[in-house]
């Protein structure tokens, strides 16, 4: 019984050891500004304010995904591109 509990504790610790480590730079999500009609970056207070096509969704979390999405960062709209690795 103690062996199983010890193994479980080690598995949990090993799993948590990778948390908080930033991904290598080549794996980081890229962001591109969403430009307005005047060539400046579109302004926003929330991602819903950003212009986007029907095929681009709103980003729902900070974790990179498989599809491009729109995010409002520091009152500016950005398209977050999928991770490249």
């Amino acid at each position: 019984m103690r062996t199983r509990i010890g193994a479980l504790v080690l598995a949990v610790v090993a799993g948590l050891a990778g948390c908080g480590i930033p991904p290598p730079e080549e794996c980081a999500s890229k962001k591109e500004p969403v430009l307005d009609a005047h060539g400046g970056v579109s302004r926003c207070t929330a991602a819903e304010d950003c212009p986007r096509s029907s095929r681009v969704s709103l980003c729902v979390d900070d974790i990179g995904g498989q599809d491009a999405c729109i995010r409002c960062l520091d009152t500016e709209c950005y398209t977050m591109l999928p991770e490249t690795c």
Side-chain angles (χ1 to χ4, degrees):
M1 183 72 170
R2 286 186 182 187
T3 305
R4 289 183 188 172
I5 293 173
L8 179 62
V9 169
L10 286 176
V12 169
V13 170
L16 293 176
C19 293
I21 298 173
E25 190 169 320
E26 66 271 7
C27 293
S29 294
K30 305 286 187 230
K31 66 179 182 177
E32 289 184 359
V34 176
L35 303 179
D36 61 17
H38 304 289
V41 179
S42 293
R43 302 302 239 164
C44 58
T45 55
E48 292 84 1
D49 300 335
C50 298
R52 62 186 171 96
S53 71
S54 61
R55 290 182 274 171
V56 178
S57 63
L58 301 175
C59 299
V60 293
D61 55 27
D62 292 337
I63 300 170
Q66 299 297 322
D67 300 317
C69 62
I70 297 290
R71 173 167 282 141
C72 182
L73 297 171
D74 298 322
T75 70
E76 295 181 335
C77 297
Y78 289 94
T79 300
M80 306 304 288
L81 302 173
E83 295 178 356
T84 56
C85 62

